[in-house]
Amino acid sequence: MSRHLYRPGHQRQPVERLRGRKGQEQRLRRLKAHGVTCSRCGRIGTWESKQATDALPLLVIDHIVPLALGGTDEDSNTRVLCEPCHRDATAEQFGHRKRIGCDEDGWPVGDHPWSR
């Protein structure tokens, strides 16, 4: 069974994706081909969600040009990102605001007016 993704605001062109066992095999093959390093920040991560921690983030397959924006589901359009980089890259690609975390006292961290 395939899932169709559509490019918002454009003529609807379905993008076929592998699901089930073949989709899992494709994901594992891509992860092995790219290695255990995030291609954006260079952090070492893990493929296993049970082993993921703040120090060892989960690695995910990211489409360089998102399927929803007309990208293809080919190996040449993929890269491996850690979860924080994947969240940021997705926000940038779709025009969402970047998430800002909080420190242990509840104050925003990073580039936020309150933390200046």
Side-chain angles (χ1 to χ4, degrees):
M1 178 178 190
S2 65
R3 179 175 170 202
H4 297 288
L5 297 178
Y6 297 100
R7 189 174 176 189
H10 294 84
Q11 184 180 3
R12 294 180 170 239
Q13 296 293 325
V15 176
E16 295 288 330
R17 292 187 77 175
L18 288 177
R19 296 286 179 209
R21 185 180 306 262
K22 289 191 180 210
Q24 292 289 332
E25 290 169 357
Q26 179 188 56
R27 177 182 170 272
L28 187 57
R29 180 179 47 77
R30 287 175 174 173
L31 284 168
K32 285 181 178 180
H34 288 287
V36 295
T37 305
C38 174
S39 62
R40 192 169 182 179
C41 71
R43 289 175 67 188
I44 294 176
T46 181
W47 306 332
E48 300 293 330
S49 58
K50 293 177 184 176
Q51 296 174 357
T53 63
D54 287 340
L56 191 68
L58 181 66
L59 296 174
V60 295
I61 296 293
D62 176 61
H63 289 88
I64 298 166
V65 177
L67 299 177
L69 298 179
T72 62
D73 196 22
E74 297 173 356
D75 291 350
S76 61
N77 187 39
T78 61
R79 61 185 172 186
V80 171
L81 297 178
C82 64
E83 269 192 326
C85 286
H86 184 255
R87 190 172 43 243
D88 293 345
T90 301
E92 291 167 9
Q93 290 167 333
F94 290 98
H96 301 155
R97 290 185 307 164
K98 186 176 177 181
R99 285 191 174 182
I100 298 174
C102 295
D103 64 12
E104 60 274 356
D105 296 323
W107 288 95
V109 295
D111 189 27
H112 188 279
W114 294 355
S115 59
R116 292 182 190 153

mmCIF file of all heavy atoms in Angstrom, residues 54-100:
data_model
loop_
_atom_site.group_PDB
_atom_site.id
_atom_site.type_symbol
_atom_site.label_atom_id
_atom_site.label_comp_id
_atom_site.label_asym_id
_atom_site.label_seq_id
_atom_site.Cartn_x
_atom_site.Cartn_y
_atom_site.Cartn_z
ATOM 1 N N ASP A 54 19.816 12.604 24.881
ATOM 2 C CA ASP A 54 20.226 13.952 24.486
ATOM 3 C C ASP A 54 21.652 13.937 23.946
ATOM 4 O O ASP A 54 21.983 14.679 23.018
ATOM 5 C CB ASP A 54 20.143 14.916 25.669
ATOM 6 C CG ASP A 54 18.703 15.261 26.008
ATOM 7 O OD1 ASP A 54 17.830 15.078 25.131
ATOM 8 O OD2 ASP A 54 18.450 15.711 27.136
ATOM 9 N N ALA A 55 22.510 13.103 24.528
ATOM 10 C CA ALA A 55 23.907 13.029 24.089
ATOM 11 C C ALA A 55 24.059 12.209 22.802
ATOM 12 O O ALA A 55 24.995 12.414 22.043
ATOM 13 C CB ALA A 55 24.765 12.424 25.183
ATOM 14 N N LEU A 56 23.148 11.287 22.573
ATOM 15 C CA LEU A 56 23.188 10.422 21.391
ATOM 16 C C LEU A 56 21.814 10.478 20.715
ATOM 17 O O LEU A 56 20.948 9.650 20.964
ATOM 18 C CB LEU A 56 23.526 8.982 21.797
ATOM 19 C CG LEU A 56 23.850 8.009 20.683
ATOM 20 C CD1 LEU A 56 25.171 8.363 20.018
ATOM 21 C CD2 LEU A 56 23.897 6.594 21.219
ATOM 22 N N PRO A 57 21.583 11.495 19.851
ATOM 23 C CA PRO A 57 20.254 11.680 19.278
ATOM 24 C C PRO A 57 19.896 10.622 18.238
ATOM 25 O O PRO A 57 20.765 9.988 17.655
ATOM 26 C CB PRO A 57 20.341 13.063 18.626
ATOM 27 C CG PRO A 57 21.782 13.206 18.279
ATOM 28 C CD PRO A 57 22.528 12.483 19.365
ATOM 29 N N LEU A 58 18.604 10.474 18.029
ATOM 30 C CA LEU A 58 18.099 9.566 17.011
ATOM 31 C C LEU A 58 18.361 10.162 15.632
ATOM 32 O O LEU A 58 18.160 11.351 15.408
ATOM 33 C CB LEU A 58 16.597 9.352 17.198
ATOM 34 C CG LEU A 58 15.924 8.397 16.227
ATOM 35 C CD1 LEU A 58 16.444 6.979 16.435
ATOM 36 C CD2 LEU A 58 14.425 8.441 16.406
ATOM 37 N N LEU A 59 18.830 9.339 14.709
ATOM 38 C CA LEU A 59 19.055 9.776 13.332
ATOM 39 C C LEU A 59 17.840 9.411 12.487
ATOM 40 O O LEU A 59 17.267 8.335 12.648
ATOM 41 C CB LEU A 59 20.302 9.103 12.753
ATOM 42 C CG LEU A 59 21.613 9.459 13.432
ATOM 43 C CD1 LEU A 59 22.743 8.621 12.863
ATOM 44 C CD2 LEU A 59 21.919 10.945 13.287
ATOM 45 N N VAL A 60 17.451 10.316 11.609
ATOM 46 C CA VAL A 60 16.301 10.080 10.741
ATOM 47 C C VAL A 60 16.683 10.395 9.299
ATOM 48 O O VAL A 60 17.592 11.177 9.032
ATOM 49 C CB VAL A 60 15.079 10.933 11.158
ATOM 50 C CG1 VAL A 60 14.584 10.534 12.525
ATOM 51 C CG2 VAL A 60 15.409 12.408 11.130
ATOM 52 N N ILE A 61 15.965 9.790 8.379
ATOM 53 C CA ILE A 61 16.151 10.074 6.961
ATOM 54 C C ILE A 61 15.349 11.326 6.631
ATOM 55 O O ILE A 61 14.171 11.427 6.952
ATOM 56 C CB ILE A 61 15.662 8.899 6.091
ATOM 57 C CG1 ILE A 61 16.498 7.647 6.354
ATOM 58 C CG2 ILE A 61 15.680 9.257 4.619
ATOM 59 C CD1 ILE A 61 17.933 7.764 5.906
ATOM 60 N N ASP A 62 15.992 12.294 5.983
ATOM 61 C CA ASP A 62 15.343 13.543 5.599
ATOM 62 C C ASP A 62 15.411 13.682 4.085
ATOM 63 O O ASP A 62 16.441 13.379 3.479
ATOM 64 C CB ASP A 62 16.067 14.724 6.261
ATOM 65 C CG ASP A 62 15.501 16.063 5.829
ATOM 66 O OD1 ASP A 62 14.306 16.292 6.084
ATOM 67 O OD2 ASP A 62 16.247 16.867 5.245
ATOM 68 N N HIS A 63 14.325 14.120 3.493
ATOM 69 C CA HIS A 63 14.326 14.414 2.061
ATOM 70 C C HIS A 63 14.825 15.841 1.879
ATOM 71 O O HIS A 63 14.269 16.774 2.448
ATOM 72 C CB HIS A 63 12.929 14.241 1.471
ATOM 73 C CG HIS A 63 12.509 12.816 1.391
ATOM 74 N ND1 HIS A 63 11.881 12.158 2.424
ATOM 75 C CD2 HIS A 63 12.666 11.904 0.401
ATOM 76 C CE1 HIS A 63 11.656 10.908 2.065
ATOM 77 N NE2 HIS A 63 12.128 10.716 0.836
ATOM 78 N N ILE A 64 15.879 16.016 1.093
ATOM 79 C CA ILE A 64 16.472 17.333 0.875
ATOM 80 C C ILE A 64 15.424 18.273 0.284
ATOM 81 O O ILE A 64 15.224 19.379 0.777
ATOM 82 C CB ILE A 64 17.713 17.216 -0.029
ATOM 83 C CG1 ILE A 64 18.768 16.340 0.670
ATOM 84 C CG2 ILE A 64 18.274 18.589 -0.364
ATOM 85 C CD1 ILE A 64 19.887 15.863 -0.229
ATOM 86 N N VAL A 65 14.768 17.859 -0.775
ATOM 87 C CA VAL A 65 13.595 18.562 -1.288
ATOM 88 C C VAL A 65 12.399 17.734 -0.812
ATOM 89 O O VAL A 65 12.218 16.598 -1.243
ATOM 90 C CB VAL A 65 13.606 18.648 -2.832
ATOM 91 C CG1 VAL A 65 12.338 19.322 -3.330
ATOM 92 C CG2 VAL A 65 14.847 19.376 -3.318
ATOM 93 N N PRO A 66 11.593 18.269 0.113
ATOM 94 C CA PRO A 66 10.497 17.486 0.686
ATOM 95 C C PRO A 66 9.550 16.939 -0.372
ATOM 96 O O PRO A 66 9.316 17.578 -1.410
ATOM 97 C CB PRO A 66 9.771 18.504 1.571
ATOM 98 C CG PRO A 66 10.764 19.568 1.851
ATOM 99 C CD PRO A 66 11.637 19.635 0.643
ATOM 100 N N LEU A 67 9.013 15.764 -0.106
ATOM 101 C CA LEU A 67 8.062 15.152 -1.028
ATOM 102 C C LEU A 67 6.864 16.064 -1.238
ATOM 103 O O LEU A 67 6.354 16.184 -2.351
ATOM 104 C CB LEU A 67 7.604 13.794 -0.491
ATOM 105 C CG LEU A 67 8.692 12.744 -0.311
ATOM 106 C CD1 LEU A 67 8.105 11.480 0.300
ATOM 107 C CD2 LEU A 67 9.382 12.440 -1.617
ATOM 108 N N ALA A 68 6.428 16.728 -0.186
ATOM 109 C CA ALA A 68 5.269 17.620 -0.284
ATOM 110 C C ALA A 68 5.552 18.842 -1.145
ATOM 111 O O ALA A 68 4.624 19.520 -1.581
ATOM 112 C CB ALA A 68 4.839 18.063 1.108
ATOM 113 N N LEU A 69 6.835 19.141 -1.399
ATOM 114 C CA LEU A 69 7.195 20.285 -2.229
ATOM 115 C C LEU A 69 7.731 19.855 -3.591
ATOM 116 O O LEU A 69 8.430 20.601 -4.261
ATOM 117 C CB LEU A 69 8.226 21.160 -1.514
ATOM 118 C CG LEU A 69 7.761 21.785 -0.200
ATOM 119 C CD1 LEU A 69 8.872 22.609 0.424
ATOM 120 C CD2 LEU A 69 6.520 22.637 -0.427
ATOM 121 N N GLY A 70 7.434 18.617 -3.974
ATOM 122 C CA GLY A 70 7.804 18.146 -5.305
ATOM 123 C C GLY A 70 9.064 17.309 -5.370
ATOM 124 O O GLY A 70 9.506 16.956 -6.455
ATOM 125 N N GLY A 71 9.669 16.978 -4.218
ATOM 126 C CA GLY A 71 10.867 16.149 -4.207
ATOM 127 C C GLY A 71 10.559 14.703 -4.544
ATOM 128 O O GLY A 71 9.410 14.281 -4.532
ATOM 129 N N THR A 72 11.608 13.953 -4.835
ATOM 130 C CA THR A 72 11.440 12.541 -5.170
ATOM 131 C C THR A 72 11.851 11.675 -3.984
ATOM 132 O O THR A 72 12.560 12.120 -3.093
ATOM 133 C CB THR A 72 12.312 12.154 -6.382
ATOM 134 O OG1 THR A 72 13.689 12.357 -6.033
ATOM 135 C CG2 THR A 72 11.952 12.988 -7.594
ATOM 136 N N ASP A 73 11.392 10.447 -3.984
ATOM 137 C CA ASP A 73 11.740 9.502 -2.923
ATOM 138 C C ASP A 73 12.909 8.626 -3.372
ATOM 139 O O ASP A 73 12.922 7.427 -3.171
ATOM 140 C CB ASP A 73 10.533 8.649 -2.550
ATOM 141 C CG ASP A 73 10.722 7.939 -1.219
ATOM 142 O OD1 ASP A 73 11.539 8.403 -0.416
ATOM 143 O OD2 ASP A 73 10.054 6.911 -0.989
ATOM 144 N N GLU A 74 13.915 9.251 -3.992
ATOM 145 C CA GLU A 74 15.107 8.544 -4.447
ATOM 146 C C GLU A 74 16.237 8.771 -3.454
ATOM 147 O O GLU A 74 16.250 9.765 -2.730
ATOM 148 C CB GLU A 74 15.513 9.058 -5.833
ATOM 149 C CG GLU A 74 14.463 8.787 -6.892
ATOM 150 C CD GLU A 74 14.787 9.445 -8.212
ATOM 151 O OE1 GLU A 74 15.798 10.179 -8.287
ATOM 152 O OE2 GLU A 74 14.025 9.236 -9.163
ATOM 153 N N ASP A 75 17.206 7.869 -3.457
ATOM 154 C CA ASP A 75 18.331 7.972 -2.536
ATOM 155 C C ASP A 75 19.099 9.283 -2.691
ATOM 156 O O ASP A 75 19.596 9.839 -1.725
ATOM 157 C CB ASP A 75 19.289 6.794 -2.711
ATOM 158 C CG ASP A 75 18.685 5.482 -2.234
ATOM 159 O OD1 ASP A 75 17.613 5.511 -1.597
ATOM 160 O OD2 ASP A 75 19.290 4.436 -2.498
ATOM 161 N N SER A 76 19.192 9.790 -3.907
ATOM 162 C CA SER A 76 19.946 11.023 -4.137
ATOM 163 C C SER A 76 19.275 12.244 -3.515
ATOM 164 O O SER A 76 19.917 13.284 -3.369
ATOM 165 C CB SER A 76 20.120 11.244 -5.643
ATOM 166 O OG SER A 76 18.856 11.374 -6.265
ATOM 167 N N ASN A 77 18.013 12.129 -3.114
ATOM 168 C CA ASN A 77 17.286 13.240 -2.497
ATOM 169 C C ASN A 77 17.159 13.045 -0.987
ATOM 170 O O ASN A 77 16.309 13.646 -0.345
ATOM 171 C CB ASN A 77 15.893 13.386 -3.131
ATOM 172 C CG ASN A 77 15.164 14.619 -2.647
ATOM 173 O OD1 ASN A 77 15.752 15.675 -2.468
ATOM 174 N ND2 ASN A 77 13.869 14.478 -2.417
ATOM 175 N N THR A 78 18.008 12.200 -0.401
ATOM 176 C CA THR A 78 17.923 11.961 1.038
ATOM 177 C C THR A 78 19.250 12.256 1.723
ATOM 178 O O THR A 78 20.307 12.249 1.088
ATOM 179 C CB THR A 78 17.528 10.500 1.349
ATOM 180 O OG1 THR A 78 18.520 9.624 0.829
ATOM 181 C CG2 THR A 78 16.165 10.161 0.784
ATOM 182 N N ARG A 79 19.158 12.508 3.013
ATOM 183 C CA ARG A 79 20.324 12.697 3.868
ATOM 184 C C ARG A 79 19.922 12.242 5.262
ATOM 185 O O ARG A 79 18.748 12.073 5.556
ATOM 186 C CB ARG A 79 20.760 14.164 3.879
ATOM 187 C CG ARG A 79 19.687 15.088 4.420
ATOM 188 C CD ARG A 79 20.072 16.527 4.315
ATOM 189 N NE ARG A 79 18.908 17.362 4.669
ATOM 190 C CZ ARG A 79 18.893 18.659 4.572
ATOM 191 N NH1 ARG A 79 19.964 19.300 4.151
ATOM 192 N NH2 ARG A 79 17.816 19.345 4.894
ATOM 193 N N VAL A 80 20.910 12.036 6.114
ATOM 194 C CA VAL A 80 20.641 11.632 7.491
ATOM 195 C C VAL A 80 20.832 12.844 8.390
ATOM 196 O O VAL A 80 21.853 13.525 8.325
ATOM 197 C CB VAL A 80 21.586 10.483 7.926
ATOM 198 C CG1 VAL A 80 21.473 10.220 9.400
ATOM 199 C CG2 VAL A 80 21.269 9.221 7.150
ATOM 200 N N LEU A 81 19.817 13.118 9.209
ATOM 201 C CA LEU A 81 19.877 14.214 10.171
ATOM 202 C C LEU A 81 19.527 13.697 11.558
ATOM 203 O O LEU A 81 18.752 12.751 11.696
ATOM 204 C CB LEU A 81 18.873 15.321 9.801
ATOM 205 C CG LEU A 81 19.067 16.046 8.487
ATOM 206 C CD1 LEU A 81 17.952 17.062 8.284
ATOM 207 C CD2 LEU A 81 20.416 16.730 8.421
ATOM 208 N N CYS A 82 20.098 14.342 12.590
ATOM 209 C CA CYS A 82 19.665 14.036 13.944
ATOM 210 C C CYS A 82 18.291 14.683 14.143
ATOM 211 O O CYS A 82 17.908 15.579 13.383
ATOM 212 C CB CYS A 82 20.677 14.536 14.975
ATOM 213 S SG CYS A 82 20.901 16.319 15.019
ATOM 214 N N GLU A 83 17.543 14.239 15.137
ATOM 215 C CA GLU A 83 16.185 14.753 15.323
ATOM 216 C C GLU A 83 16.124 16.276 15.482
ATOM 217 O O GLU A 83 15.272 16.912 14.867
ATOM 218 C CB GLU A 83 15.507 14.059 16.508
ATOM 219 C CG GLU A 83 14.756 12.834 16.087
ATOM 220 C CD GLU A 83 13.854 12.310 17.192
ATOM 221 O OE1 GLU A 83 14.203 12.413 18.373
ATOM 222 O OE2 GLU A 83 12.791 11.790 16.847
ATOM 223 N N PRO A 84 17.015 16.896 16.290
ATOM 224 C CA PRO A 84 16.942 18.360 16.394
ATOM 225 C C PRO A 84 17.179 19.066 15.062
ATOM 226 O O PRO A 84 16.469 20.022 14.724
ATOM 227 C CB PRO A 84 18.047 18.699 17.402
ATOM 228 C CG PRO A 84 18.236 17.458 18.201
ATOM 229 C CD PRO A 84 17.974 16.336 17.243
ATOM 230 N N CYS A 85 18.140 18.613 14.268
ATOM 231 C CA CYS A 85 18.396 19.222 12.957
ATOM 232 C C CYS A 85 17.240 18.967 12.000
ATOM 233 O O CYS A 85 16.880 19.831 11.197
ATOM 234 C CB CYS A 85 19.699 18.710 12.361
ATOM 235 S SG CYS A 85 21.168 19.394 13.140
ATOM 236 N N HIS A 86 16.639 17.774 12.074
ATOM 237 C CA HIS A 86 15.499 17.461 11.218
ATOM 238 C C HIS A 86 14.322 18.375 11.539
ATOM 239 O O HIS A 86 13.657 18.893 10.642
ATOM 240 C CB HIS A 86 15.099 15.991 11.381
ATOM 241 C CG HIS A 86 13.994 15.577 10.476
ATOM 242 N ND1 HIS A 86 12.719 15.393 10.929
ATOM 243 C CD2 HIS A 86 13.978 15.331 9.145
ATOM 244 C CE1 HIS A 86 11.946 15.039 9.916
ATOM 245 N NE2 HIS A 86 12.690 15.000 8.820
ATOM 246 N N ARG A 87 14.081 18.614 12.813
ATOM 247 C CA ARG A 87 13.001 19.506 13.240
ATOM 248 C C ARG A 87 13.244 20.925 12.703
ATOM 249 O O ARG A 87 12.349 21.570 12.168
ATOM 250 C CB ARG A 87 12.906 19.498 14.771
ATOM 251 C CG ARG A 87 11.710 20.180 15.324
ATOM 252 C CD ARG A 87 11.566 19.988 16.830
ATOM 253 N NE ARG A 87 12.812 20.133 17.558
ATOM 254 C CZ ARG A 87 13.394 19.168 18.262
ATOM 255 N NH1 ARG A 87 12.852 17.976 18.323
ATOM 256 N NH2 ARG A 87 14.516 19.391 18.899
ATOM 257 N N ASP A 88 14.491 21.406 12.832
ATOM 258 C CA ASP A 88 14.836 22.750 12.347
ATOM 259 C C ASP A 88 14.749 22.844 10.826
ATOM 260 O O ASP A 88 14.225 23.822 10.282
ATOM 261 C CB ASP A 88 16.238 23.146 12.807
ATOM 262 C CG ASP A 88 16.329 23.340 14.310
ATOM 263 O OD1 ASP A 88 15.271 23.444 14.977
ATOM 264 O OD2 ASP A 88 17.463 23.381 14.819
ATOM 265 N N ALA A 89 15.260 21.831 10.113
ATOM 266 C CA ALA A 89 15.238 21.843 8.649
ATOM 267 C C ALA A 89 13.800 21.836 8.128
ATOM 268 O O ALA A 89 13.471 22.561 7.180
ATOM 269 C CB ALA A 89 16.002 20.646 8.088
ATOM 270 N N THR A 90 12.949 21.037 8.749
ATOM 271 C CA THR A 90 11.546 20.979 8.346
ATOM 272 C C THR A 90 10.865 22.322 8.575
ATOM 273 O O THR A 90 10.112 22.800 7.727
ATOM 274 C CB THR A 90 10.813 19.856 9.104
ATOM 275 O OG1 THR A 90 11.474 18.612 8.821
ATOM 276 C CG2 THR A 90 9.360 19.755 8.689
ATOM 277 N N ALA A 91 11.145 22.942 9.714
ATOM 278 C CA ALA A 91 10.565 24.259 10.007
ATOM 279 C C ALA A 91 10.996 25.283 8.961
ATOM 280 O O ALA A 91 10.184 26.077 8.488
ATOM 281 C CB ALA A 91 10.976 24.712 11.406
ATOM 282 N N GLU A 92 12.265 25.254 8.572
ATOM 283 C CA GLU A 92 12.769 26.191 7.561
ATOM 284 C C GLU A 92 12.108 25.947 6.207
ATOM 285 O O GLU A 92 11.707 26.888 5.525
ATOM 286 C CB GLU A 92 14.281 26.049 7.418
ATOM 287 C CG GLU A 92 15.067 26.533 8.608
ATOM 288 C CD GLU A 92 16.525 26.085 8.572
ATOM 289 O OE1 GLU A 92 16.975 25.540 7.538
ATOM 290 O OE2 GLU A 92 17.206 26.269 9.586
ATOM 291 N N GLN A 93 12.001 24.695 5.808
ATOM 292 C CA GLN A 93 11.464 24.364 4.493
ATOM 293 C C GLN A 93 9.991 24.726 4.351
ATOM 294 O O GLN A 93 9.538 25.081 3.268
ATOM 295 C CB GLN A 93 11.651 22.873 4.207
ATOM 296 C CG GLN A 93 13.091 22.495 3.994
ATOM 297 C CD GLN A 93 13.317 20.995 4.013
ATOM 298 O OE1 GLN A 93 12.565 20.243 4.637
ATOM 299 N NE2 GLN A 93 14.354 20.549 3.334
ATOM 300 N N PHE A 94 9.244 24.640 5.446
ATOM 301 C CA PHE A 94 7.809 24.896 5.380
ATOM 302 C C PHE A 94 7.406 26.237 5.990
ATOM 303 O O PHE A 94 6.232 26.518 6.162
ATOM 304 C CB PHE A 94 7.042 23.745 6.040
ATOM 305 C CG PHE A 94 7.108 22.484 5.232
ATOM 306 C CD1 PHE A 94 8.025 21.494 5.546
ATOM 307 C CD2 PHE A 94 6.272 22.293 4.149
ATOM 308 C CE1 PHE A 94 8.101 20.327 4.791
ATOM 309 C CE2 PHE A 94 6.343 21.142 3.395
ATOM 310 C CZ PHE A 94 7.257 20.155 3.718
ATOM 311 N N GLY A 95 8.397 27.069 6.325
ATOM 312 C CA GLY A 95 8.107 28.411 6.821
ATOM 313 C C GLY A 95 7.576 28.477 8.235
ATOM 314 O O GLY A 95 6.911 29.430 8.606
ATOM 315 N N HIS A 96 7.880 27.480 9.045
ATOM 316 C CA HIS A 96 7.445 27.487 10.449
ATOM 317 C C HIS A 96 8.496 28.158 11.315
ATOM 318 O O HIS A 96 9.661 28.234 10.949
ATOM 319 C CB HIS A 96 7.230 26.055 10.957
ATOM 320 C CG HIS A 96 6.213 25.304 10.176
ATOM 321 N ND1 HIS A 96 6.206 23.946 10.106
ATOM 322 C CD2 HIS A 96 5.158 25.713 9.420
ATOM 323 C CE1 HIS A 96 5.201 23.533 9.345
ATOM 324 N NE2 HIS A 96 4.552 24.590 8.924
ATOM 325 N N ARG A 97 8.079 28.603 12.479
ATOM 326 C CA ARG A 97 9.034 29.192 13.414
ATOM 327 C C ARG A 97 9.905 28.096 14.017
ATOM 328 O O ARG A 97 9.455 26.976 14.232
ATOM 329 C CB ARG A 97 8.308 29.904 14.554
ATOM 330 C CG ARG A 97 7.605 31.151 14.120
ATOM 331 C CD ARG A 97 7.016 31.875 15.283
ATOM 332 N NE ARG A 97 6.177 30.982 16.071
ATOM 333 C CZ ARG A 97 5.769 31.224 17.302
ATOM 334 N NH1 ARG A 97 6.127 32.313 17.904
ATOM 335 N NH2 ARG A 97 5.012 30.378 17.941
ATOM 336 N N LYS A 98 11.145 28.456 14.299
ATOM 337 C CA LYS A 98 12.060 27.517 14.934
ATOM 338 C C LYS A 98 11.697 27.401 16.414
ATOM 339 O O LYS A 98 11.399 28.392 17.070
ATOM 340 C CB LYS A 98 13.496 28.024 14.787
ATOM 341 C CG LYS A 98 14.535 27.079 15.287
ATOM 342 C CD LYS A 98 15.922 27.626 15.003
ATOM 343 C CE LYS A 98 16.980 26.722 15.569
ATOM 344 N NZ LYS A 98 18.314 27.236 15.332
ATOM 345 N N ARG A 99 11.688 26.185 16.924
ATOM 346 C CA ARG A 99 11.389 25.972 18.337
ATOM 347 C C ARG A 99 12.515 26.504 19.204
ATOM 348 O O ARG A 99 13.681 26.349 18.890
ATOM 349 C CB ARG A 99 11.211 24.492 18.629
ATOM 350 C CG ARG A 99 9.923 23.955 18.146
ATOM 351 C CD ARG A 99 9.717 22.586 18.718
ATOM 352 N NE ARG A 99 8.398 22.125 18.370
ATOM 353 C CZ ARG A 99 7.911 20.982 18.758
ATOM 354 N NH1 ARG A 99 8.614 20.186 19.514
ATOM 355 N NH2 ARG A 99 6.706 20.623 18.399
ATOM 356 N N ILE A 100 12.128 27.092 20.294
ATOM 357 C CA ILE A 100 13.103 27.606 21.245
ATOM 358 C C ILE A 100 12.933 26.820 22.536
ATOM 359 O O ILE A 100 11.834 26.749 23.076
ATOM 360 C CB ILE A 100 12.889 29.113 21.502
ATOM 361 C CG1 ILE A 100 13.090 29.875 20.203
ATOM 362 C CG2 ILE A 100 13.807 29.611 22.583
ATOM 363 C CD1 ILE A 100 12.762 31.330 20.286
#
